[in-house]
Amino acid sequence: MYFAMAKFRGIFQMYQKVLVRHPYLVQAVQTGTLMGAGDLISQTLIEKVSIVDYKRTLKFSSIGFFVGGPALRVWYGLLNKHVGASGKTVAMKKVFVDQFIFAPTFLFFLLVAVGTMQEKSWDSVKKDVHSNYFDVLTTNYYIWPWVQLVNFYYVPLQYQVLLVQSVALFWNTYLSWKTNKRNKLE
C-alpha cells in the first residue's frame, strides 16, 4: 500500500511539473484522451458495436485535443481574472457565467464540429444540431452546475480542467452516444 501511494505521489508530482511548464499542451492531451475514452466506452458498452470505429474515436478525440482542452484552459483563466479567484460568491458567479455563456456556446460548437467531422452535409449538420442541442444543453444543466460549483470553490485553477475532464469521461460517453445514434439509423 505504501509503495502504491509513493508511486502515485511521484506520478502526480511529475504531472504538476509538466502542467506548470506546458499547461495548454497537458490540458489538450488530457481532454483529447478523455474524449477518445468516452467515445470508446460509448461504442463498446452502450452501442455494443462488434468492431470499434477507431477513426470515429480519433475524430472525437481531436475535438478535445485541438479545441476543448485549449478552450477550457483559456476560459478558466478568463473567469479567474475577471470574476475572481476564490470565495463562495465568486464560485456562484463563475458557475452562472460558465453555464449561461460558455456551455451553450461550446455545446453548439461541439455539435457542429462532430457533424462536420462525420463528413455530413451542412443541411444534415443543421438538422442534427436542431434535434440534439436542447437535449444536450438540458442534460448539461442537470450535471455541470454542481460539478462546477465544487470545481470553482475547492479546486485550484491549474487543476480545474483535470477535475472537469475526469467527470467529463462520463459526459463524453453521453455526447458520443448522442451525436452518433442518428448515424446508426441513416
Side-chain angles (χ1 to χ4, degrees):
M1 179 70 168
Y2 176 76
F3 177 74
M5 289 302 291
K7 185 89 167 158
F8 176 76
R9 207 175 0 253
I11 291 169
F12 188 69
Q13 287 171 344
M14 185 173 63
Y15 169 80
Q16 288 177 307
K17 288 178 186 176
V18 175
L19 181 61
V20 167
R21 287 189 201 130
H22 307 286
Y24 290 95
L25 179 61
V26 168
Q27 292 174 345
V29 168
Q30 74 191 21
T31 304
T33 301
L34 290 167
M35 284 190 75
D39 182 70
L40 288 172
I41 292 168
S42 176
Q43 287 188 58
T44 57
L45 298 179
I46 297 171
E47 299 167 47
K48 299 186 188 308
V49 298
S50 55
I51 299 172
V52 172
D53 182 350
Y54 290 106
K55 185 176 177 184
R56 172 184 134 176
T57 300
L58 184 61
K59 288 177 180 181
F60 199 69
S61 180
S62 69
I63 294 170
F65 183 81
F66 292 108
V67 180
L72 287 168
R73 176 68 173 107
V74 169
W75 178 245
Y76 291 158
L78 287 171
L79 283 175
N80 217 47
K81 181 179 179 183
H82 295 290
V83 179
S86 63
K88 288 179 186 174
T89 304
V90 168
M92 295 294 283
K93 286 179 186 177
K94 283 181 174 181
V95 169
F96 181 80
V97 173
D98 181 68
Q99 290 301 300
F100 290 98
I101 294 175
F102 185 80
T105 305
F106 186 74
L107 290 173
F108 176 81
F109 177 79
L110 179 78
L111 292 174
V112 170
V114 168
T116 302
M117 290 228 166
Q118 291 170 340
E119 300 173 13
K120 292 182 175 183
S121 69
W122 180 241
D123 286 337
S124 183
V125 170
K126 287 192 301 189
K127 191 165 101 176
D128 285 353
V129 169
H130 181 73
S131 65
N132 287 327
Y133 180 73
F134 288 105
D135 284 345
V136 170
L137 187 62
T138 301
T139 304
N140 167 85
Y141 288 139
Y142 285 117
I143 300 165
W144 288 106
W146 311 109
V147 172
Q148 292 294 48
L149 189 59
V150 169
N151 197 30
F152 294 139
Y153 188 66
Y154 293 107
V155 179
L157 177 62
Q158 69 268 26
Y159 303 121
Q160 288 178 354
V161 174
L162 178 61
L163 173 74
V164 163
Q165 288 306 319
S166 298
V167 174
L169 178 59
F170 303 102
W171 177 247
N172 294 333
T173 301
Y174 163 75
L175 287 176
S176 178
W177 168 78
K178 186 74 171 168
T179 58
N180 285 287
K181 72 178 185 171
R182 290 193 105 220
N183 288 345
K184 305 293 183 216
L185 302 174
E186 292 175 351

